[in-house]
Amino acid sequence: MIDHDIQGRPAAELSDKELERQGTQAHATRNWVFLHGSAEQFARHTTRMLELEREYLRRFPKRTWQGSGGVAQDREATADAWRETVLGIIEQLTALLERPSPQPADASAATDPAQAFLQRIADAGGRMHKLEAHQAAREAGLERAAVADLYKADPPLLTTDGHDRVLTDAGRALLAQDTT
């Protein structure tokens, strides 16, 4: 059963305008989900995007490459094109599943993910865009709650400045203390 709070309304229930808007939004956010989302978010996004595309194709078959546009089609060639497309998607998804988890760059990262994360920000000049910081935390193996704890520490080890995440003086001191 689909959880509509997570997936949204079934595509078949959307108006034409809503379907087009949600399809456009799904494609616009695809790159972010691929680069920064979790495996669960990527799977959910893929499922929803395919549902929206199927419904769009059902309603507007002549607006896509699959539609004939009034020109007679070679049904066998169309079926072959679909087959190649689906096999390509399966191959891409399989490759994503087979990729090994990123390994920490050094031994200290394996023992203290928070320190490894803070060091990555320090190495970037003490400031990192929020999306890059999110990725760095994941690569260091730092859970979201642990990242939040860095902001809530007394004194804070990390702070925000617009879209950037900034290492505080206390964060720098902690890193300096651990290297001595």
Side-chain angles (χ1 to χ4, degrees), residues 46-62:
T46 300
T47 300
R48 179 63 172 176
M49 190 170 70
L50 291 173
E51 176 191 10
L52 294 167
E53 288 175 351
R54 277 191 306 269
E55 181 61 20
Y56 189 89
L57 180 59
R58 185 188 71 74
R59 291 186 199 181
F60 310 108
K62 295 182 181 183

Side-chain angles (χ1 to χ4, degrees), residues 105 114-128 132-133 135-140 167 175:
Q115 183 179 353
F117 173 59
L118 292 173
Q119 188 62 55
R120 288 274 304 271
I121 294 176
D123 292 346
R127 173 180 292 266
M128 189 178 277
E132 292 175 89
Q135 182 68 19
R138 286 186 21 211
E139 289 173 358
L167 189 62
L175 289 173

Side-chain angles (χ1 to χ4, degrees), residues 61-148:
K62 295 182 181 183
R63 291 186 187 177
T64 68
W65 64 268
Q66 297 92 337
S68 68
V71 177
Q73 283 189 9
D74 178 351
R75 293 200 188 280
E76 191 172 317
T78 301
D80 287 343
W82 265 108
R83 190 175 300 106
E84 287 301 314
T85 300
V86 169
L87 291 173
I89 292 169
I90 291 169
E91 184 178 325
Q92 291 172 19
L93 293 173
T94 301
L96 286 171
L97 293 172
E98 292 173 352
R99 296 212 187 271
S101 299
Q103 296 300 314
D106 58 42
S108 66
T111 58
D112 186 359
Q115 183 179 353
F117 173 59
L118 292 173
Q119 188 62 55
R120 288 274 304 271
I121 294 176
D123 292 346
R127 173 180 292 266
M128 189 178 277
H129 187 275
K130 65 183 179 182
L131 296 178
E132 292 175 89
H134 175 75
Q135 182 68 19
R138 286 186 21 211
E139 289 173 358
L142 194 59
E143 298 290 328
R144 291 179 187 213
V147 173

